Amino acid sequence: MSDKGNTPGGIPENMPHHLSERLDENLTLIKHLFAFPDNTALIIRNLRVPALDAEAAIVFLEGAAEPKLIESTILEPLLAKPSLPYQQPDKLEAVLREIVTSPSGKKLVELQVLPGELLKGNTIFLLEGEAGALTLETPGFQSRSVTEPQVEHVLKGPKEAFIESAAVNRSLIRKQLKERQLVSETISIGQRSAKDISLLYIKDLADPELVTEMKKRLKAINADTIANLSILEQYIEDRPYSLIPSALLTERPDRACSFLMEGHIVLIMDNSPTAMVVPVTFWALFHTPEDQYLRWAYGNFIRVVRILAVFVALLTPSIYISVSTFHEEMIPTDLLLAIGATRERVPFPALIEVLVMEIAFELVREAAVRIPSIIGPTIGIVGALILGQAAVEANLVSPILVIIVALTGISSFTIPEISFNFAVRILRFIMLFAASFMGFFGISLVMTCVITYMVSFKSFGVPFLSPLSPHYRSSKDLIVRPPVWKQWLRPFNIRSQDSQRKNKPEGGD
Amino acid sequence: MKKGIIAFLLACVALLLGGCWDKLELEEQAFVVVLGLDKAPDGLVSVTFQVANPQVGSSDKGAAQNEPPSDIVTFAAPDILSAKEIANSVITRKISFAHLRTIVISQAFASSKLFNHVIGSSIRDPEMRRETNLIISRERASEFITRNKPRLETRPHKYYAFMQERWRDTGYVPFSTLNRYFQRLGRDTLFLSIYGTTKRVKTKYAREEDQYLAGEIPQQNGDPVQIMGSAVFKSGRMVGTITGEETRIALFLRRKSMAHSYISSYPDPLNPDYQVTARVIKDGNTRIKMDLSRERPDVQVTLPLRAQILSIPSFTDYAEDPRKQEKLRKSIEDSLKAKIDAFIAKIQQTYECEPFLWHLVARKHFWTLKAYQAYDWGAHFSKAKINVTIRMRIESFGKQIGPPLPLEIEEDQAG
């Protein structure tokens, strides 16, 4: 079947738009749509409803609907209810309102929405003599139970993480955010296999323009199907070729909630163990929930450690290169002589040395992600010990390089957000080349470009470095944070409708 | 997008054109850690380079067994930078002054007219740094560098780094860098530089341990270098020397001094056979007041001090008797004042200028620099009436207050 013959609902154009009054005709249509009898997943159960004295059929997809639920909420009531005068004149309405016990269901007459309902795990109830059908909710998709976060660990704070079920994820957010105005809008995207995306925001906080813009971007997506949020992110981001991400994926419901409370939008989708937060700023990528959960001094301590780590991860190799090839006078004499002594036996220039070690480290890192977890632990030993030590022994690199690369690697692990992490790791190589050409001058040149770019970059209309620059009023929760009771302002750069979290505290500023 | 890629590639090409030309790997350079300057015939200067060998004493990994810790070579050239070029005909690596911290200058060269020109022109080289320390050696600088074989330090730069820190503590020598030299080239002030030698001239045994000049300290064994006292420069030329004690006084009389405490011994007022050792600490800035209206300027100097008595070899119980304390205090004050007055008189007569940086105070009395220059502070200083007042208090008597033996026993033995 060619795509051109398909309507948006995935129905061939030559098929009727509405259901017929005849049960067997309807069943034939459905069978045709689902490639029955090749497709054994389509299950059709014919039955006679004694209450209405009519032939009927229920249709569902194996694996999508839960048979036990169908049995208890649909089949049992249908077969057991005696023939009574029902108050609804319409037979299907009567079944829906007075017989079945499903928590939700609705009547439909158009054929083109029917396959979508089946694919969602709903059960279709067809009745002889009625040009319509009932869709009853009986979801039966398998998913794992809620577990601890795999990426965003905290020592202190909630330990629940999102899973691959959108319903569970929405429930996790509802659980944390008992908020009347928390809206969960559903938008369906994808042409062939439509997927539902839940748009969560707090109606009287989030900027209405932002919500409109978000919906516009979602509707503009031109794709066959969207597998999950990670793919969706790439469809709706501001600059696809940028090193800087314009959305944040978090697996922590508490994090998603705190963003909601600031007026951000959270997107949730089936098959994504994460929630997507837009818009994002540098600070969202740099902060962790732990910063707020720990007491003021401790939280700020780890923030300072992390900002230091960002610079170490970004600059250490390039500083080493520029200091050792352009600005020797900056190294203490003892260290200079020690480096010089070991460098004498290394055949390569310092840049090659650094590149060899950095690439080796990136290899170890990539291998550690791809390796089956059962042989994972070996990679640490092989990578760290053998590579570093052996390279030094073989006079391939000088010993100081091992320290530099190790320090850089460790520091890059402290960057919590994976997109930001990649950005820093890639920028490090750009810095390295700039430093090897022009020393500190090159580093400052690239740094200037990076900062200029970050200042001008916008995620969904919000400047990336705001509220620091351009300056907006906020609770000053940037590099360091004030005590929680002083954070009474919502950041103005998000253009939240209510700028205050609470009244200004005594002594707060 | 295509445009973007082209722009990026062009930018990368520009990057290749931009830099690299002064890029040099560490091991391709020879780091000069000590530079020596001597007089050479025909108006040339003889430059001695002490080049550190990274492979000795720095890292176990790259250690070379049969190499010396440093290489010393001497060349005669018109100036330092041309000597640096010539040196590369002998030394395989590119000579770098990036880690040059010490310049040794022979007394003979420092006294010559050529010195100021050689050192003044060398500063144009960005590698010559103004915080380089200056040492004036009694003998030829090349000899000083060759003979300086410290026993505890393998690497030459470490010896100078450690020594310079000690010198700052003791105040026997001034803090002398190239920068200070250039700052104090004017006719209104004297520049003091570290004075040292590896030779022993005459050993004199002084009762007070700081009245020495380098080479005079009674020493047995140990390192050959003695650093004591200062060389006095006037208008960029060395004109004389002062002893360690005089250097300390000169540093103390400055308004703010870098060496703010030193340990010295003074006569014991109650028992003239003994000395009392005390640490004298500057208790705030020296206050200098001047009246420049008269032909003989009137200079009032107040020196606030506090003293920590460290040892009383006579076992007198100063700590327990306030009247004796007062006597001790007065005696130390008097002895200090006598020395200071004598030193100021000597400076006034000999140099017609002062090393105390009082010219900075004098300069404030003039509206314009022209007026100050016309005044000629140096000439007026030499006839100035200078009155130094010492305000000293005794701060402590050490950890153990009383004498180690009970006094009665000593009296019993005496009786």
Side-chain angles (χ1 to χ4, degrees):
Chain A
M1 221 182 290
S2 77
D3 280 356
K4 277 186 181 170
N6 280 3
T7 58
I11 307 276
E13 269 175 358
N14 54 3
M15 291 190 87
H17 290 280
H18 294 278
L19 286 165
S20 130
E21 280 191 6
R22 293 184 50 192
L23 180 62
D24 54 347
E25 252 179 46
N26 285 342
L27 286 177
T28 316
L29 280 176
I30 295 174
K31 280 178 185 168
H32 181 67
L33 282 172
F34 284 85
F36 193 81
D38 295 342
N39 184 0
T40 53
L42 186 73
I43 292 165
I44 300 171
R45 165 87 156 74
N46 288 304
L47 69 156
R48 187 180 164 74
V49 185
L52 298 167
D53 193 21
E55 283 295 324
I58 55 171
V59 184
F60 62 92
L61 273 180
E62 184 197 11
E66 171 62 48
K68 275 190 187 148
L69 214 56
I70 297 172
E71 191 188 325
S72 63
T73 62
I74 303 170
L75 278 177
E76 267 180 31
L78 277 173
L79 295 171
K81 280 265 175 168
S83 170
L84 290 171
Y86 292 102
Q87 291 178 4
Q88 300 294 329
D90 185 89
K91 281 186 181 171
L92 281 175
E93 285 289 323
V95 171
L96 180 61
R97 293 201 173 195
E98 295 170 47
I99 299 179
V100 294
T101 55
S102 291
S104 88
K106 62 177 188 279
K107 188 181 165 184
L108 50 91
V109 288
E110 286 172 11
L111 182 64
Q112 54 176 328
V113 293
L114 198 140
E117 296 293 326
L118 277 173
L119 288 166
K120 274 185 215 164
N122 293 350
T123 301
I124 302 291
F125 175 78
L126 295 160
L127 200 65
E128 176 69 45
E130 293 289 324
L134 286 183
T135 163
L136 303 160
E137 203 178 322
T138 52
F141 292 109
Q142 295 301 313
S143 81
R144 62 191 170 112
S145 54
V146 175
T147 51
E148 284 199 19
Q150 295 294 308
V151 182
E152 295 165 79
H153 297 282
V154 293
L155 298 176
K156 207 174 166 186
K159 301 251 190 317
E160 279 174 344
F162 288 127
I163 59 164
E164 285 80 358
S165 158
V168 175
N169 291 354
R170 283 193 299 267
S171 147
L172 286 173
I173 289 183
R174 280 277 170 209
K175 185 173 106 186
Q176 294 215 5
L177 211 60
K178 305 267 188 311
E179 165 69 55
R180 192 167 42 82
Q181 288 277 328
L182 174 59
V183 174
S184 168
E185 261 187 70
T186 307
I187 290 177
S188 200
I189 53 167
Q191 268 149 18
R192 188 181 173 91
S193 154
K195 290 281 173 65
D196 282 349
I197 290 163
S198 304
L199 202 64
L200 271 70
Y201 56 92
I202 296 177
K203 186 97 184 170
D204 57 2
L205 275 185
D207 179 21
E209 274 178 39
L210 180 66
V211 178
T212 324
E213 166 72 18
M214 188 70 220
K215 284 189 204 160
K216 205 183 88 198
R217 286 201 198 181
L218 284 176
K219 281 179 185 144
I221 293 174
N222 180 13
D224 204 11
T225 183
I226 302 282
N228 51 42
L229 282 177
S230 316
I231 305 282
L232 182 73
E233 181 192 356
Q234 298 174 48
Y235 271 107
I236 60 168
E237 64 192 346
D238 285 81
R239 299 192 191 181
Y241 295 102
S242 168
L243 276 185
I244 298 172
S246 29
L248 167 80
L249 290 177
T250 176
E251 54 170 1
R252 299 185 58 88
D254 54 331
R255 197 131 191 249
C257 291
S258 78
F259 278 116
L260 282 171
M261 286 307 285
E262 280 187 353
H264 294 252
I265 298 178
V266 168
L267 272 72
I268 281 178
M269 204 175 153
D270 258 325
N271 307 317
S272 301
T274 48
M276 187 163 96
V277 179
V278 285
V280 290
T281 58
F282 172 80
W283 314 107
L285 303 177
F286 165 67
H287 291 170
T288 70
E290 189 107 56
D291 304 346
Q292 296 284 352
Y293 294 151
L294 290 175
R295 295 185 56 240
W296 176 81
Y298 319 151
N300 279 334
F301 174 72
I302 59 171
R303 284 244 180 119
V304 171
V305 168
R306 275 211 313 278
I307 194 91
L308 196 75
V310 169
F311 285 105
V312 169
L314 189 62
L315 294 174
T316 323
S318 42
I319 287 182
Y320 170 72
I321 286 291
S322 46
V323 157
S324 71
T325 52
F326 289 97
H327 323 281
E328 302 83 16
E329 62 275 12
M330 290 190 69
I331 320 175
T333 312
D334 291 315
L335 184 61
L336 174 104
L337 294 179
I339 298 173
T342 48
R343 287 252 335 119
E344 249 177 62
R345 300 180 180 183
V346 175
F348 304 117
L351 174 68
I352 303 292
E353 265 189 287
V354 174
L355 275 182
V356 164
M357 284 306 278
E358 282 293 335
I359 290 171
F361 190 83
E362 293 296 329
L363 284 178
V364 169
R365 204 172 164 148
E366 185 59 17
V369 176
R370 305 291 154 224
I371 204 163
S373 57
I374 201 143
I375 43 174
T378 45
I379 200 85
I381 303 159
V382 173
L385 281 172
I386 315 291
L387 261 178
Q389 204 52 43
V392 170
E393 286 298 321
N395 278 337
L396 264 177
V397 297
S398 44
I400 189 154
L401 247 290
V402 179
I403 299 171
I404 285 171
V405 172
L407 196 66
T408 314
I410 292 290
S411 300
S412 73
F413 285 130
T414 64
I415 301 170
E417 222 285 318
I418 191 148
S419 306
F420 189 42
N421 189 313
F422 272 113
V424 168
R425 276 161 61 194
I426 295 171
L427 267 179
R428 181 166 78 217
F429 284 97
I430 299 174
M431 287 279 180
L432 191 58
F433 284 112
S436 71
F437 284 126
M438 283 180 277
F440 276 171
F441 180 63
I443 295 181
S444 34
L445 218 62
V446 174
M447 207 64 186
T448 313
C449 293
V450 169
I451 290 172
T452 318
Y453 181 72
M454 288 211 299
V455 170
S456 60
F457 181 83
K458 278 183 179 170
S459 156
F460 291 83
V462 174
F464 190 63
L465 281 182
S466 63
L468 182 74
S469 171
H471 177 77
Y472 287 91
R473 286 193 73 194
S474 70
S475 286
K476 302 193 177 69
D477 175 18
L478 302 168
I479 293 174
V480 289
R481 70 168 179 90
V484 280
W485 57 272
K486 276 191 179 177
Q487 299 183 21
W488 60 285
L489 273 178
R490 293 202 168 82
F492 277 43
N493 55 334
I494 310 296
R495 296 188 299 272
S496 158
Q497 292 179 54
D498 181 9
S499 57
Q500 293 188 13
R501 293 181 215 261
K502 55 172 186 170
N503 286 332
K504 188 174 177 176
E506 295 255 334
D509 45 36
Chain B
M1 195 51 221
K2 214 171 194 177
K3 256 187 190 169
I5 290 172
I6 291 168
F8 179 74
L9 287 177
L10 280 177
C12 286
V13 172
L15 211 65
L16 284 168
L17 291 174
C20 278
W21 44 270
D22 58 351
K23 176 179 177 169
L24 208 57
E25 299 286 343
L26 277 186
E27 71 277 8
E28 295 166 9
Q29 304 179 45
F31 292 100
V32 177
V33 287
V34 184
L35 193 74
L37 296 178
D38 283 309
K39 231 177 168 170
D42 301 332
L44 293 180
V45 53
S46 148
V47 184
T48 306
F49 299 95
Q50 184 166 24
V51 178
N53 179 1
Q55 284 188 306
V56 176
S58 62
S59 154
D60 293 341
K61 174 85 181 77
Q65 299 300 325
N66 303 318
E67 292 176 17
S70 67
D71 188 13
I72 301 169
V73 271
T74 306
F75 299 95
D79 63 1
I80 299 175
L81 296 183
S82 48
K84 190 175 156 189
E85 285 301 308
I86 298 171
N88 266 332
S89 57
V90 174
I91 296 168
T92 47
R93 304 171 190 203
K94 187 173 185 296
I95 304 265
S96 164
F97 285 166
H99 282 259
L100 177 61
R101 286 289 167 77
T102 314
I103 298 182
V104 181
I105 299 150
S106 71
Q107 187 169 350
F109 183 60
S111 313
S112 75
K113 212 179 135 195
L114 187 63
F115 169 67
N116 188 18
H117 293 274
V118 168
I119 206 88
S121 61
S122 71
I123 203 74
R124 279 177 193 277
D125 184 0
E127 279 183 6
M128 285 289 278
R129 292 207 273 170
R130 279 174 171 255
E131 62 260 34
T132 312
N133 288 285
L134 292 183
I135 297 177
I136 309 301
S137 72
R138 201 188 270 267
E139 64 276 21
R140 283 183 69 81
S142 57
E143 205 179 327
F144 181 95
I145 293 171
T146 324
R147 287 173 62 132
N148 181 16
K149 292 226 163 24
R151 302 205 175 176
L152 297 182
E153 260 72 51
T154 314
R155 288 160 298 163
H157 75 275
K158 209 66 200 165
Y159 169 81
Y160 291 99
F162 284 154
M163 277 306 262
Q164 268 143 22
E165 270 172 47
R166 291 293 78 68
W167 300 337
R168 207 182 283 201
D169 290 349
T170 57
Y172 283 137
V173 289
F175 178 69
S176 67
T177 62
L178 261 186
N179 190 43
R180 299 258 158 137
Y181 171 79
F182 288 117
Q183 264 178 356
R184 289 165 200 170
L185 272 178
R187 285 194 302 129
D188 50 356
T189 185
L190 295 175
F191 167 66
L192 299 184
S193 178
I194 301 170
Y195 192 66
T197 185
T198 54
K199 284 194 168 166
R200 303 289 171 268
V201 264
K202 52 173 180 179
T203 307
K204 74 174 186 187
Y205 286 87
R207 182 115 192 226
E208 286 156 351
E209 70 289 330
D210 48 7
Q211 290 175 347
Y212 297 113
L213 203 55
E216 297 172 356
I217 308 166
Q219 171 200 359
Q220 279 163 6
N221 300 328
D223 291 346
V225 169
Q226 280 187 3
I227 299 285
M228 186 69 148
S230 6
V232 180
F233 281 74
K234 192 181 178 185
S235 303
R237 266 174 90 167
M238 180 174 165
V239 287
T241 54
I242 56 175
T243 64
E245 184 185 45
E246 288 167 337
T247 306
R248 283 176 160 186
I249 292 171
L251 297 182
F252 252 44
L253 285 176
R254 289 176 179 178
R255 204 177 79 81
K256 279 183 182 173
S257 46
M258 291 194 82
H260 67 281
S261 83
Y262 66 78
I263 298 168
S264 185
S265 60
Y266 304 92
D268 191 329
L270 297 180
N271 203 338
D273 290 345
Y274 294 96
Q275 299 277 102
V276 171
T277 305
R279 173 186 285 127
V280 177
I281 305 162
K282 238 178 126 170
D283 202 11
N285 290 341
T286 313
R287 278 182 292 278
I288 302 139
K289 281 210 172 121
M290 289 184 186
D291 181 5
L292 303 180
S293 57
R294 274 171 273 178
E295 179 51 32
R296 263 192 88 190
D298 188 36
V299 181
Q300 294 291 337
V301 179
T302 317
L303 184 59
L305 296 175
R306 55 200 163 94
Q308 296 170 346
I309 308 298
L310 298 179
S311 79
I312 308 169
S314 67
F315 292 163
T316 316
D317 57 336
Y318 287 113
E320 286 149 23
D321 190 341
R323 274 172 305 173
K324 286 183 185 168
Q325 275 180 26
E326 181 54 28
K327 267 188 189 159
L328 177 67
R329 194 187 66 80
K330 193 88 187 48
S331 142
I332 295 179
E333 255 188 30
D334 288 347
S335 118
L336 250 176
K337 186 170 158 47
K339 284 177 188 170
I340 289 173
D341 287 345
F343 176 60
I344 291 177
K346 178 183 160 189
I347 290 280
Q348 275 182 315
Q349 284 160 19
T350 327
Y351 300 115
E352 292 196 338
C353 209
E354 44 82 26
F356 314 121
L357 306 185
W358 289 349
H359 70 287
L360 298 175
V361 183
R363 206 164 61 183
K364 282 188 205 159
H365 289 77
F366 298 92
W367 287 104
T368 61
L369 188 64
K370 245 183 197 161
Y372 167 68
Q373 279 162 347
Y375 177 73
D376 192 1
W377 163 249
H380 279 83
F381 167 78
S382 55
K383 42 190 179 174
K385 216 167 80 188
I386 294 160
N387 183 21
V388 177
T389 320
I390 299 175
R391 286 233 184 88
M392 191 172 73
R393 60 188 173 90
I394 292 178
E395 192 180 60
S396 68
F397 286 88
K399 187 173 70 182
Q400 182 180 323
I401 291 167
L405 290 170
L407 286 173
E408 294 82 25
I409 298 170
E410 205 178 50
E411 277 168 9
D412 283 354
Q413 282 169 345

